[in-house]
Amino acid sequence: METNRVKQIHSFGQSIWLDFIDRAIIANGKLKSLIDDDGVRGVTSNPAIFEKAITSSSDYDDQIRSLVETDKSNEELFFELAITDIQNAADLFKGVYDEANGGDGFVSLEVSPFLALDTEGTIKQAAELWKEVDRKNVMIKIPGTQPGLAAIRQSIAKGININVTLLFGLPRYEAVAEAYISGLEDHLAAGHSIGHIASVASFFLSRIDVLVDPMLDEKGLGDLKGEIAIASAKKAYEIYKRIFSGERWEKLAAQGAKPQRLLWASTSSKNPAFRDVKYVEALIGPDTVDTVPLETIEAFRDHGNAANTLEDDLDKATEALDRLKAGGIDIDKITQQLEDEGIEKFNKPFEKLLNAIEDQKSKV
């Protein structure tokens, strides 16, 4: 019997997480089969995913009706709905979490996108959601914005598992890894153990190429189309290996600390000219996570090639970014634009979701 191609990825040290959640996939056994058959080892969610889940089915209507009589805001109602799904998914992944000794099997829930630039609001809500979900194998997602850095550090210092989302640029990624390590040091200094804390840093891929690729032809760099996101990810992995080694890290590792794994996000190919598994195949490597939409998992199961590729052609990755800079394209400016747009891309569906909940309430 041919080995499942998705499952093969895990043999190279990378965990595949599903970038999708809804009530149906939990109830109908589909998520359980992805765990058992494909070796899927976690789930990520975001406001856009929940907006689609809640507004495109009737699966949530009964719970919305049951909550109408409360004095909760529409945002509080949303989190009630989301937490139910997150808890049920986390329970499905409990076996993976236990088998990995707390190193995998996580389900992620994001703070309100309206808090992306609000440090104190993020810290407060991250703690509230962590307490309400009440599962060891949950991660609270915090955007890796400048105001988010202090929220990440303080949340880690409280012993909360954090998935840092919306990362596009290398300098910001390095700052996020620093915030994680500092948070661990804070937690340890307060007299707590740190071996149970887990975190990932979610580095977004295809959106980089969507923005950069149209600029390349006019700069005479057309051969770099579809290469800049992958080059950036490979350089991020170099940073990861540097930061999570050496004397400072070894002191924490001796206390049981887990490295903050890099997670590849935005992994579906937006350009139909590219292979539909391009961003998965190019970045398979040890101690990483790849969060993948359901259709990309299905495509990889059908025709993906699992191989240890993450550290291949590192010289070409460096050269690609050097050529981009020499061509007058400012990658730091681009990644800041992507962060700004990313916040907006989560705000809009969240507003739509809250309006849909209001509509549902009015029908009761």
Side-chain angles (χ1 to χ4, degrees):
M1 182 176 171
E2 187 179 358
T3 305
N4 181 295
R5 294 170 190 262
V6 180
K7 210 170 218 178
Q8 282 180 336
I9 292 173
H10 185 58
S11 66
F12 298 103
Q14 183 174 85
S15 296
I16 294 296
W17 291 1
L18 175 67
D19 192 26
F20 177 75
I21 193 170
D22 69 9
R23 202 152 281 189
I25 201 174
I26 298 169
N28 64 20
K30 176 70 173 174
L31 186 55
K32 182 72 164 59
S33 73
L34 286 165
I35 297 169
D36 295 342
D37 301 337
D38 295 289
V40 167
R41 297 175 68 79
V43 163
T44 51
S45 67
N46 62 45
I49 287 171
F50 269 116
E51 184 272 326
K52 184 177 180 183
I54 293 170
T55 61
S56 64
S57 81
S58 59
D59 295 341
Y60 298 83
D61 293 359
D62 287 346
Q63 190 177 2
I64 291 172
R65 289 189 194 101
S66 73
L67 294 168
V68 165
E69 299 305 319
T70 68
D71 59 356
K72 294 179 184 291
S73 68
N74 290 338
E75 184 172 300
E76 289 170 330
L77 287 179
F78 157 70
F79 278 114
E80 289 263 353
L81 302 175
I83 285 169
T84 299
D85 285 0
I86 295 294
Q87 288 174 326
N88 289 334
D91 291 345
L92 279 179
F93 281 96
K94 181 66 164 52
V96 176
Y97 177 81
D98 290 341
E99 173 258 322
N101 295 315
D104 218 340
F106 293 97
V107 181
S108 296
L109 173 64
E110 188 158 349
V111 298
S112 167
F114 299 155
L115 298 174
L117 301 175
D118 180 347
T119 302
E120 293 305 319
T122 297
I123 292 167
K124 182 174 181 287
Q125 190 173 80
E128 290 170 350
L129 293 176
W130 174 253
K131 184 178 179 181
E132 287 174 36
V133 176
D134 192 26
R135 298 291 189 277
K136 291 180 180 178
N137 61 322
V138 161
M139 287 186 174
I140 305 302
K141 288 177 86 170
I142 295 177
T145 58
Q146 188 66 41
L149 294 173
I152 293 159
R153 176 175 177 169
Q154 291 192 44
S155 297
I156 293 293
K158 292 178 181 178
I160 300 172
N161 299 328
I162 298 297
N163 176 340
V164 183
T165 188
L166 277 184
L167 292 175
F168 297 95
L170 297 175
R172 183 61 55 78
Y173 163 60
E174 187 154 358
V176 161
E178 165 65 32
Y180 172 65
I181 290 175
S182 296
L184 289 178
E185 291 170 336
D186 295 343
H187 197 62
L188 193 62
H192 305 296
S193 63
I194 55 175
H196 64 284
I197 300 173
S199 181
V200 293
S202 298
F203 199 89
F204 281 52
L205 300 172
S206 62
R207 292 190 198 177
I208 295 174
D209 287 335
V210 167
L211 192 57
V212 171
D213 282 1
M215 305 176 186
L216 296 174
D217 281 331
E218 60 190 65
K219 301 288 187 180
L221 299 171
D223 60 308
L224 293 180
K225 281 185 180 176
E227 298 301 322
I228 298 304
I230 289 169
S232 296
K234 288 176 182 283
K235 298 302 287 185
Y237 192 63
E238 279 191 338
I239 295 170
Y240 162 84
K241 291 183 76 175
R242 168 171 54 80
I243 289 177
F244 293 99
S245 63
E247 186 178 352
R248 184 186 182 194
W249 175 250
E250 291 306 323
K251 285 180 181 177
L252 294 170
Q255 298 295 322
K258 299 177 178 70
Q260 181 188 56
R261 289 183 293 173
L262 269 164
L263 177 150
W264 313 127
S266 185
T267 53
S268 60
S269 296
K270 308 293 193 289
N271 186 335
F274 297 159
R275 236 172 109 73
D276 55 2
V277 290
K278 170 187 176 71
Y279 294 99
V280 180
E281 290 179 333
L283 296 169
I284 298 171
D287 305 315
T288 56
V289 180
D290 197 339
T291 187
V292 186
L294 186 56
E295 57 269 25
T296 308
I297 286 179
E298 291 169 347
F300 199 96
R301 187 193 301 136
D302 179 67
H303 54 264
N305 296 312
N308 193 341
T309 55
L310 181 51
E311 295 187 275
D312 290 350
D313 300 322
L314 282 175
D315 54 337
K316 290 183 180 176
T318 304
E319 181 191 354
L321 295 179
D322 287 346
R323 288 178 60 200
L324 195 72
K325 185 177 181 180
I329 297 176
D330 185 343
I331 190 67
D332 293 334
K333 186 177 179 181
I334 285 167
T335 54
Q336 185 59 54
Q337 179 183 336
L338 285 165
E339 180 187 302
D340 297 341
E341 291 175 354
I343 294 168
E344 185 62 21
K345 283 180 179 177
F346 284 162
N347 277 344
K348 284 187 175 178
F350 197 60
E351 289 169 358
K352 183 179 174 185
L353 172 59
L354 298 182
N355 289 335
I357 289 173
E358 182 65 32
D359 289 344
Q360 281 294 98
K361 285 164 60 178
S362 67
K363 295 174 184 174
V364 175

